[in-house]
Each structure stands twice: as C-alpha cells, then as structure tokens.
Coordinates of all heavy atoms in Angstrom, one line a residue:
S286 N 12.9 70.7 286.4 CA 12.4 69.8 287.5 C 13.3 69.9 288.7 O 14.5 70.0 288.6 CB 12.3 68.4 286.9 OG 12.1 67.5 287.9
N287 N 12.7 69.7 289.8 CA 13.5 69.7 291.1 C 13.8 68.3 291.6 O 14.1 68.1 292.7 CB 12.7 70.4 292.2 CG 12.6 71.9 291.9 OD1 13.6 72.5 291.3 ND2 11.6 72.5 292.4
K288 N 13.8 67.3 290.7 CA 14.1 65.9 291.0 C 15.6 65.8 291.1 O 16.2 65.6 290.1 CB 13.5 65.0 290.0 CG 12.0 65.0 290.0 CD 11.4 64.0 289.1 CE 9.9 64.0 289.1 NZ 9.3 63.1 288.2
K289 N 16.1 65.9 292.3 CA 17.6 65.7 292.4 C 17.9 64.7 293.5 O 17.3 64.6 294.5 CB 18.2 67.0 292.9 CG 18.1 68.1 291.8 CD 18.8 69.4 292.3 CE 18.7 70.4 291.2 NZ 19.3 71.7 291.5
L290 N 18.8 63.8 293.1 CA 19.2 62.7 294.0 C 20.7 62.6 293.8 O 21.2 62.5 292.7 CB 18.5 61.4 293.6 CG 18.9 60.2 294.5 CD1 18.3 60.3 295.9 CD2 18.5 58.9 293.9
Y291 N 21.4 62.6 294.9 CA 22.9 62.4 294.9 C 23.2 61.1 295.7 O 22.7 60.9 296.8 CB 23.5 63.6 295.6 CG 23.2 64.9 295.0 CD1 22.2 65.7 295.4 CD2 24.0 65.3 293.9 CE1 21.9 66.9 294.8 CE2 23.7 66.5 293.3 CZ 22.6 67.3 293.7 OH 22.3 68.5 293.1
V292 N 24.0 60.3 295.0 CA 24.4 59.0 295.6 C 25.9 58.8 295.5 O 26.5 59.0 294.5 CB 23.7 57.8 294.8 CG1 24.1 56.5 295.4 CG2 22.2 58.0 294.7
V293 N 26.5 58.4 296.7 CA 27.9 58.2 296.7 C 28.1 56.7 296.9 O 27.5 56.1 297.8 CB 28.6 58.9 297.9 CG1 30.0 58.6 298.0 CG2 28.3 60.4 297.8
L294 N 28.9 56.1 296.0 CA 29.1 54.6 296.0 C 30.6 54.3 296.2 O 31.4 55.1 295.8 CB 28.6 54.1 294.7 CG 27.2 54.4 294.3 CD1 26.9 54.0 292.8 CD2 26.2 53.6 295.2
R295 N 30.8 53.1 296.8 CA 32.2 52.7 297.0 C 32.2 51.2 296.7 O 31.4 50.4 297.2 CB 32.6 52.9 298.4 CG 33.9 52.3 298.8 CD 34.2 52.5 300.3 NE 33.5 51.6 301.1 CZ 32.7 51.9 302.2 NH1 32.6 53.2 302.6 NH2 32.1 51.0 302.9
P296 N 33.2 50.7 295.8 CA 33.3 49.3 295.6 C 34.1 48.6 296.7 O 35.0 49.1 297.2 CB 34.1 49.2 294.3 CG 34.9 50.5 294.3 CD 34.1 51.5 295.0
E297 N 33.6 47.4 297.0 CA 34.3 46.5 298.0 C 34.3 45.1 297.4 O 33.3 44.4 297.6 CB 33.7 46.5 299.4 CG 34.0 47.8 300.2 CD 33.5 47.7 301.6 OE1 33.1 46.6 302.1 OE2 33.5 48.7 302.3
G298 N 35.3 44.8 296.6 CA 35.3 43.5 295.9 C 34.1 43.5 295.0 O 33.9 44.3 294.1
R299 N 33.3 42.4 295.1 CA 32.1 42.3 294.2 C 30.9 42.9 294.8 O 29.8 42.7 294.3 CB 31.9 40.8 294.0 CG 33.0 40.0 293.3 CD 32.8 39.5 292.0 NE 31.5 39.8 291.4 CZ 30.7 38.8 290.8 NH1 31.1 37.6 290.8 NH2 29.6 39.2 290.3
E300 N 31.1 43.7 295.8 CA 29.9 44.4 296.4 C 30.0 45.9 296.2 O 31.1 46.5 296.4 CB 29.9 44.1 297.9 CG 28.7 44.4 298.6 CD 28.6 43.7 300.0 OE1 29.4 44.0 300.9 OE2 27.8 42.8 300.1
L301 N 29.0 46.5 295.8 CA 28.9 48.0 295.7 C 28.2 48.5 296.9 O 27.1 48.2 297.2 CB 28.2 48.4 294.4 CG 28.2 49.9 294.1 CD1 29.7 50.3 293.9 CD2 27.4 50.1 292.8
V302 N 28.9 49.4 297.7 CA 28.3 50.0 298.9 C 27.8 51.4 298.7 O 28.5 52.2 298.1 CB 29.4 50.0 300.0 CG1 28.9 50.6 301.3 CG2 30.1 48.6 300.2
V303 N 26.6 51.6 299.1 CA 26.0 52.9 299.1 C 26.4 53.6 300.3 O 26.1 53.3 301.4 CB 24.4 52.8 299.0 CG1 23.8 54.2 299.0 CG2 24.0 52.0 297.8
V304 N 27.3 54.6 300.1 CA 27.9 55.3 301.2 C 26.9 56.4 301.7 O 26.8 56.6 302.9 CB 29.2 55.9 300.8 CG1 29.9 56.8 301.9 CG2 30.2 54.8 300.4
A305 N 26.3 57.1 300.8 CA 25.4 58.2 301.2 C 24.4 58.5 300.1 O 24.7 58.3 298.9 CB 26.2 59.5 301.4
V306 N 23.2 58.9 300.5 CA 22.1 59.3 299.6 C 21.5 60.5 300.1 O 21.2 60.6 301.3 CB 21.0 58.2 299.5 CG1 19.9 58.6 298.6 CG2 21.6 56.9 299.0
A307 N 21.4 61.5 299.2 CA 20.8 62.8 299.6 C 19.9 63.2 298.5 O 20.1 63.0 297.3 CB 21.9 63.9 299.9
G308 N 18.8 63.9 298.9 CA 17.8 64.3 297.9 C 16.5 63.6 298.0 O 16.2 63.0 299.0
S309 N 15.9 63.5 296.8 CA 14.6 62.8 296.8 C 14.5 62.0 295.5 O 15.3 62.1 294.6 CB 13.4 63.8 296.9 OG 13.5 64.8 295.8
H310 N 13.4 61.3 295.4 CA 13.1 60.5 294.2 C 14.0 59.2 294.1 O 14.4 58.8 293.0 CB 13.2 61.3 292.9 CG 12.2 62.5 293.0 ND1 10.9 62.3 292.8 CD2 12.4 63.8 293.3 CE1 10.3 63.5 293.0 NE2 11.2 64.4 293.3
L311 N 14.3 58.6 295.2 CA 15.1 57.4 295.2 C 14.4 56.3 294.4 O 14.9 55.5 293.6 CB 15.5 56.9 296.6 CG 16.2 55.6 296.7 CD1 17.5 55.6 296.0 CD2 16.4 55.3 298.2
Q312 N 13.1 56.2 294.7 CA 12.3 55.1 294.0 C 12.3 55.2 292.5 O 12.5 54.2 291.8 CB 10.8 55.1 294.5 CG 10.0 54.0 294.0 CD 8.7 53.9 294.6 OE1 8.1 54.9 295.1 NE2 8.1 52.7 294.6
E313 N 12.2 56.4 292.0 CA 12.3 56.6 290.6 C 13.7 56.4 290.0 O 13.8 56.1 288.8 CB 11.9 58.1 290.2 CG 10.4 58.4 290.4 CD 10.1 58.9 291.8 OE1 11.0 58.7 292.7 OE2 9.1 59.5 292.0
S314 N 14.7 56.4 290.8 CA 16.1 56.2 290.4 C 16.7 54.8 290.7 O 17.8 54.5 290.2 CB 17.0 57.2 291.0 OG 16.5 58.5 290.8
Q315 N 15.9 54.0 291.4 CA 16.5 52.7 291.8 C 16.9 51.8 290.7 O 18.0 51.2 290.7 CB 15.5 52.0 292.7 CG 14.2 51.6 292.1 CD 13.3 50.9 293.1 OE1 12.7 49.9 292.7 NE2 13.0 51.3 294.3
Q316 N 16.2 51.8 289.5 CA 16.6 50.9 288.4 C 17.9 51.4 287.8 O 18.8 50.6 287.4 CB 15.5 50.8 287.4 CG 15.8 49.7 286.4 CD 15.9 48.4 287.0 OE1 15.0 48.0 287.8 NE2 17.0 47.6 286.8
E317 N 18.1 52.7 287.7 CA 19.4 53.2 287.2 C 20.5 52.9 288.1 O 21.6 52.5 287.6 CB 19.3 54.8 287.1 CG 20.5 55.4 286.4 CD 20.3 56.9 286.3 OE1 19.2 57.4 286.6 OE2 21.3 57.5 285.8
I318 N 20.3 52.9 289.4 CA 21.4 52.5 290.3 C 21.7 51.0 290.2 O 22.9 50.6 290.1 CB 21.0 52.9 291.8 CG1 20.9 54.4 291.9 CG2 22.0 52.3 292.8 CD1 20.2 54.8 293.2
L319 N 20.7 50.2 290.1 CA 20.9 48.7 290.0 C 21.6 48.4 288.6 O 22.5 47.6 288.6 CB 19.5 48.0 290.0 CG 18.8 48.0 291.4 CD1 17.4 47.4 291.3 CD2 19.7 47.3 292.4
N320 N 21.2 49.1 287.6 CA 21.8 48.9 286.3 C 23.3 49.2 286.3 O 24.1 48.5 285.7 CB 21.1 49.6 285.2 CG 19.7 49.1 284.9 OD1 19.4 48.0 285.2 ND2 18.9 49.9 284.2
F321 N 23.6 50.3 287.0 CA 25.0 50.8 287.1 C 25.8 49.7 287.8 O 26.9 49.3 287.4 CB 25.1 52.1 287.9 CG 26.4 52.5 288.1 CD1 27.2 53.2 287.2 CD2 27.0 52.3 289.4 CE1 28.5 53.7 287.4 CE2 28.3 52.7 289.6 CZ 29.1 53.4 288.7
A322 N 25.2 49.1 288.9 CA 26.0 48.1 289.7 C 26.1 46.8 288.8 O 27.2 46.2 288.8 CB 25.2 47.8 290.9
K323 N 25.1 46.5 288.1 CA 25.2 45.2 287.3 C 26.2 45.4 286.2 O 27.0 44.5 285.9 CB 23.8 44.9 286.6 CG 22.8 44.4 287.7 CD 21.5 44.2 287.0 CE 20.4 43.8 288.0 NZ 19.1 43.7 287.4
R324 N 26.2 46.6 285.5 CA 27.2 46.8 284.4 C 28.6 46.8 285.0 O 29.6 46.5 284.3 CB 26.9 48.2 283.8 CG 25.8 48.2 282.8 CD 25.8 49.4 281.9 NE 25.8 50.7 282.7 CZ 24.8 51.4 283.2 NH1 23.6 50.9 283.0 NH2 25.0 52.5 283.9
G325 N 28.8 47.2 286.3 CA 30.1 47.2 286.9 C 30.5 45.8 287.3 O 31.6 45.6 287.9
G326 N 29.7 44.8 287.2 CA 30.0 43.4 287.5 C 29.9 43.1 289.0 O 30.4 42.1 289.5
F327 N 29.1 43.9 289.7 CA 28.9 43.7 291.2 C 27.9 42.6 291.4 O 26.9 42.5 290.6 CB 28.6 45.0 291.9 CG 29.7 46.0 291.9 CD1 29.6 47.0 290.9 CD2 30.7 45.9 292.7 CE1 30.7 47.9 290.9 CE2 31.8 46.8 292.7 CZ 31.7 47.8 291.7
A328 N 28.0 41.8 292.5 CA 27.1 40.8 292.8 C 26.0 41.2 293.8 O 24.9 40.7 293.8 CB 27.8 39.6 293.4
T329 N 26.3 42.2 294.6 CA 25.4 42.7 295.6 C 25.6 44.2 295.8 O 26.6 44.8 295.5 CB 25.6 42.1 297.0 OG1 26.9 42.3 297.4 CG2 25.3 40.6 297.0
L330 N 24.5 44.8 296.3 CA 24.5 46.2 296.6 C 24.2 46.2 298.1 O 23.3 45.6 298.6 CB 23.3 46.9 295.9 CG 23.2 48.4 296.0 CD1 24.4 49.1 295.3 CD2 21.9 48.9 295.3
R331 N 25.0 47.0 298.9 CA 24.9 47.0 300.4 C 24.7 48.4 300.8 O 25.3 49.3 300.3 CB 26.2 46.4 301.0 CG 26.1 46.3 302.5 CD 27.3 45.7 303.1 NE 28.3 46.8 303.4 CZ 29.6 46.7 303.2 NH1 30.1 45.6 302.7 NH2 30.4 47.8 303.5
F332 N 23.9 48.6 301.8 CA 23.7 49.9 302.4 C 23.5 49.8 303.9 O 23.0 48.8 304.4 CB 22.6 50.7 301.7 CG 21.3 50.1 301.8 CD1 20.3 50.4 302.7 CD2 20.9 49.2 300.8 CE1 19.1 49.8 302.8 CE2 19.6 48.6 300.8 CZ 18.7 48.9 301.8
H333 N 23.9 50.8 304.6 CA 23.8 50.9 306.0 C 22.9 52.1 306.3 O 23.0 53.2 305.7 CB 25.2 51.2 306.7 CG 26.2 50.2 306.4 ND1 27.0 49.7 307.5 CD2 26.6 49.6 305.3 CE1 27.8 48.8 306.9 NE2 27.6 48.7 305.6
T334 N 22.1 52.0 307.4 CA 21.3 53.2 307.8 C 20.9 53.1 309.2 O 20.8 52.0 309.8 CB 20.0 53.3 306.9 OG1 19.3 54.5 307.3 CG2 19.1 52.1 307.1
R335 N 20.7 54.2 309.8 CA 20.2 54.3 311.2 C 18.7 54.7 311.2 O 18.1 54.7 312.2 CB 21.0 55.2 312.1 CG 22.4 54.7 312.4 CD 23.1 55.6 313.3 NE 24.5 55.1 313.5 CZ 25.2 55.3 314.6 NH1 24.7 56.1 315.6 NH2 26.4 54.8 314.7
H336 N 18.3 55.1 310.0 CA 16.9 55.6 309.8 C 16.2 54.9 308.7 O 15.9 55.5 307.6 CB 16.9 57.1 309.6 CG 17.7 57.8 310.6 ND1 17.1 58.1 311.8 CD2 18.9 58.3 310.6 CE1 18.0 58.8 312.6 NE2 19.1 58.9 311.8
F337 N 16.0 53.6 308.8 CA 15.4 52.8 307.8 C 14.0 53.3 307.3 O 13.7 53.3 306.2 CB 15.3 51.3 308.2 CG 14.7 50.5 307.1 CD1 15.3 50.3 305.9 CD2 13.4 49.9 307.2 CE1 14.8 49.6 304.8 CE2 12.9 49.2 306.2 CZ 13.5 49.0 305.0
E338 N 13.3 53.9 308.3 CA 11.9 54.4 307.9 C 12.0 55.5 306.8 O 11.1 55.7 306.0 CB 11.2 55.0 309.2 CG 11.9 56.2 309.8 CD 13.1 55.9 310.7 OE1 13.4 54.8 310.9 OE2 13.7 56.9 311.1
R339 N 13.1 56.2 306.7 CA 13.3 57.2 305.7 C 13.5 56.6 304.3 O 13.4 57.2 303.3 CB 14.5 58.1 306.0 CG 14.3 58.9 307.2 CD 15.5 59.8 307.5 NE 15.4 60.4 308.8 CZ 16.4 61.1 309.3 NH1 17.5 61.2 308.7 NH2 16.2 61.6 310.5
L340 N 13.9 55.3 304.2 CA 14.3 54.6 303.0 C 13.2 53.7 302.5 O 13.2 53.3 301.3 CB 15.5 53.8 303.1 CG 16.8 54.5 303.4 CD1 18.0 53.5 303.6 CD2 17.1 55.4 302.2
K341 N 12.2 53.4 303.3 CA 11.2 52.4 302.9 C 10.5 52.7 301.6 O 10.4 51.8 300.7 CB 10.1 52.2 304.0 CG 10.6 51.4 305.2 CD 9.5 51.2 306.2 CE 10.0 50.4 307.4 NZ 9.0 50.3 308.4
K342 N 10.1 53.9 301.4 CA 9.4 54.2 300.1 C 10.3 54.1 298.9 O 10.0 53.5 297.9 CB 8.8 55.7 300.2 CG 8.1 56.1 298.9 CD 7.6 57.5 299.0 CE 7.0 57.9 297.7 NZ 6.7 59.3 297.7
G343 N 11.6 54.6 299.1 CA 12.5 54.5 298.0 C 12.9 53.1 297.6 O 13.4 52.9 296.5
L344 N 12.8 52.2 298.6 CA 13.2 50.8 298.3 C 12.1 49.9 298.0 O 12.3 48.7 297.8 CB 14.0 50.3 299.5 CG 15.3 51.0 299.9 CD1 15.8 50.4 301.2 CD2 16.3 50.8 298.8
S345 N 10.9 50.4 298.0 CA 9.7 49.6 297.7 C 9.8 48.9 296.4 O 10.3 49.5 295.4 CB 8.4 50.4 297.8 OG 8.3 51.3 296.7
G346 N 9.5 47.6 296.4 CA 9.6 46.8 295.1 C 10.9 46.1 295.0 O 11.0 45.2 294.1
L347 N 11.9 46.4 295.8 CA 13.2 45.7 295.7 C 13.2 44.6 296.7 O 12.6 44.6 297.8 CB 14.3 46.7 296.0 CG 14.5 47.9 295.0 CD1 15.6 48.8 295.5 CD2 14.8 47.3 293.7
D348 N 14.0 43.6 296.4 CA 14.2 42.4 297.2 C 15.4 42.6 298.1 O 16.4 42.0 297.8 CB 14.3 41.1 296.3 CG 14.3 39.9 297.1 OD1 13.8 39.9 298.3 OD2 14.8 38.9 296.6
Y349 N 15.3 43.4 299.1 CA 16.4 43.7 300.0 C 16.2 42.8 301.2 O 15.1 42.4 301.6 CB 16.5 45.2 300.4 CG 15.3 45.7 301.0 CD1 15.1 45.6 302.4 CD2 14.3 46.3 300.2 CE1 13.9 46.1 303.0 CE2 13.2 46.9 300.8 CZ 13.0 46.8 302.2 OH 11.8 47.3 302.8
R350 N 17.3 42.5 301.9 CA 17.3 41.7 303.1 C 18.2 42.3 304.2 O 19.3 42.8 303.9 CB 17.6 40.3 302.9 CG 19.0 40.0 302.5 CD 19.3 38.5 302.1 NE 20.6 38.2 302.0 CZ 21.5 38.6 301.0 NH1 21.0 39.3 300.1 NH2 22.7 38.2 301.0
L351 N 17.7 42.3 305.4 CA 18.5 42.7 306.6 C 19.5 41.7 306.9 O 19.2 40.5 307.1 CB 17.5 43.0 307.8 CG 18.2 43.4 309.1 CD1 18.8 44.8 308.9 CD2 17.2 43.4 310.2
V352 N 20.8 42.1 306.9 CA 21.8 41.1 307.1 C 22.5 41.3 308.5 O 23.2 40.4 309.0 CB 22.9 41.1 306.0 CG1 22.3 40.6 304.7 CG2 23.6 42.4 305.8
E353 N 22.4 42.5 309.1 CA 23.0 42.7 310.4 C 22.4 44.0 311.0 O 22.0 44.9 310.4 CB 24.5 43.0 310.1 CG 25.4 43.1 311.4 CD 26.8 43.4 311.1 OE1 27.3 43.2 309.9 OE2 27.5 43.7 312.1
V354 N 22.4 43.9 312.4 CA 22.0 45.1 313.2 C 23.2 45.3 314.1 O 23.6 44.5 314.9 CB 20.7 44.9 314.0 CG1 20.4 46.1 314.8 CG2 19.6 44.6 313.0
R355 N 23.8 46.5 314.0 CA 24.8 46.9 314.9 C 24.3 47.8 316.0 O 23.7 48.9 315.7 CB 26.0 47.6 314.2 CG 26.7 46.7 313.2 CD 27.8 47.4 312.4 NE 28.4 46.5 311.4 CZ 29.2 46.9 310.5 NH1 29.5 48.2 310.4 NH2 29.7 46.1 309.6
K356 N 24.4 47.4 317.2 CA 23.9 48.1 318.4 C 24.8 49.2 318.7 O 26.1 49.1 318.8 CB 23.7 47.2 319.6 CG 22.9 46.0 319.3 CD 21.4 46.4 319.3 CE 20.6 45.1 319.2 NZ 19.2 45.4 319.0
H357 N 24.3 50.4 318.9 CA 25.1 51.6 319.3 C 24.4 52.2 320.5 O 23.2 52.3 320.6 CB 25.1 52.6 318.2 CG 25.9 52.2 316.9 ND1 27.2 52.2 316.8 CD2 25.4 51.6 315.8 CE1 27.6 51.7 315.7 NE2 26.5 51.4 315.0
L358 N 25.2 52.7 321.4 CA 24.7 53.3 322.6 C 24.1 54.7 322.3 O 23.2 55.2 322.9 CB 25.8 53.4 323.7 CG 26.2 52.1 324.3 CD1 27.4 52.3 325.2 CD2 25.1 51.4 325.0
I359 N 24.8 55.4 321.3 CA 24.4 56.7 321.0 C 24.0 56.8 319.5 O 24.6 56.2 318.7 CB 25.5 57.7 321.2 CG1 25.9 57.7 322.7 CG2 25.2 59.1 320.8 CD1 27.2 58.5 323.0
G360 N 22.9 57.4 319.2 CA 22.5 57.6 317.8 C 21.6 56.5 317.3 O 21.2 56.6 316.1
G361 N 21.2 55.5 318.0 CA 20.4 54.4 317.5 C 21.2 53.3 316.8 O 22.3 53.4 316.5
N362 N 20.5 52.3 316.6 CA 21.1 51.1 315.9 C 21.3 51.4 314.4 O 20.7 52.1 313.8 CB 20.1 49.9 316.1 CG 20.0 49.5 317.5 OD1 20.9 49.7 318.3 ND2 18.9 48.8 317.8
E363 N 22.3 50.6 313.9 CA 22.7 50.7 312.5 C 22.2 49.4 311.8 O 22.5 48.3 312.3 CB 24.2 50.9 312.4 CG 24.7 50.9 310.9 CD 26.2 51.0 310.9 OE1 26.9 50.9 311.9 OE2 26.7 51.1 309.7
Y364 N 21.4 49.6 310.8 CA 20.8 48.4 310.1 C 21.6 48.3 308.7 O 21.8 49.3 308.0 CB 19.3 48.7 309.8 CG 18.6 48.8 311.1 CD1 18.4 50.1 311.6 CD2 18.1 47.7 311.8 CE1 17.7 50.3 312.8 CE2 17.4 47.9 313.0 CZ 17.3 49.2 313.5 OH 16.6 49.3 314.7
I365 N 22.0 47.1 308.4 CA 22.7 46.8 307.2 C 21.9 45.9 306.3 O 21.5 44.8 306.7 CB 24.1 46.2 307.5 CG1 24.9 47.1 308.5 CG2 24.9 45.9 306.3 CD1 26.1 46.5 309.1
F366 N 21.7 46.3 305.1 CA 20.9 45.6 304.1 C 21.7 45.3 302.9 O 22.6 45.9 302.5 CB 19.7 46.5 303.7 CG 18.7 46.8 304.8 CD1 18.9 47.9 305.6 CD2 17.6 46.0 305.0 CE1 18.0 48.2 306.6 CE2 16.7 46.3 306.0 CZ 16.9 47.4 306.9
K367 N 21.2 44.2 302.2 CA 21.9 43.8 300.9 C 20.8 43.5 299.9 O 19.7 43.0 300.3 CB 22.7 42.6 301.1 CG 24.0 42.9 301.8 CD 25.0 41.7 301.7 CE 26.2 42.0 302.5 NZ 27.2 40.9 302.4
I368 N 21.1 43.8 298.7 CA 20.3 43.5 297.5 C 21.1 42.7 296.6 O 22.2 43.1 296.2 CB 19.8 44.8 296.8 CG1 18.9 45.6 297.8 CG2 19.0 44.4 295.5 CD1 18.6 47.0 297.2
G369 N 20.6 41.5 296.2 CA 21.3 40.6 295.3 C 21.1 41.1 293.9 O 20.0 41.6 293.5
L370 N 22.1 41.1 293.1 CA 22.0 41.6 291.7 C 22.1 40.4 290.8 O 21.9 40.3 289.7 CB 23.2 42.6 291.4 CG 23.2 43.8 292.3 CD1 24.5 44.6 292.0 CD2 22.0 44.6 292.1

C-alpha cells in the first residue's frame, strides 16, 4: 500500500506539538495520533499551519479550535489550533 504519513511531534509540558506532517491519509491516522498523545499523558495537541485548507479533510470529525492567528507580512498568516484530549 502507498499509505504513508510522517508526523514529527515535540512535547511542551502537557501539550504535544505537531511540528510537521508529510504524506497522505491523515484522517485515517488521526485516532492513532490521539491515542499516542493520551498514552503520553498530554492534555492537548497543538498544531500551527499557514495552509489550513490542506488539513481540513484530515481533521474532519475532530473537535479542534482556533486559538491564535499570527499575522505575517510574507508567506501568509499562521493559524494555531488545539485539540483537547
């Protein structure tokens, strides 16, 4: 199968930060990522993106919330989301 997804994570206290995601099939892998974070004792999962439209399908069904928008002059705005665990 060509279903490959690479995820880089970083802990920050009780928050697990998604540093990078590459590949496809995020939606099919979301429960595995959430379970990993819960087993690690994290309270929230946080991710930053400048291209939220690329993540909408992969995040469908999750209760994520926009917590901050960082304005940038170059490269577009950065959107920061959190998911409570």
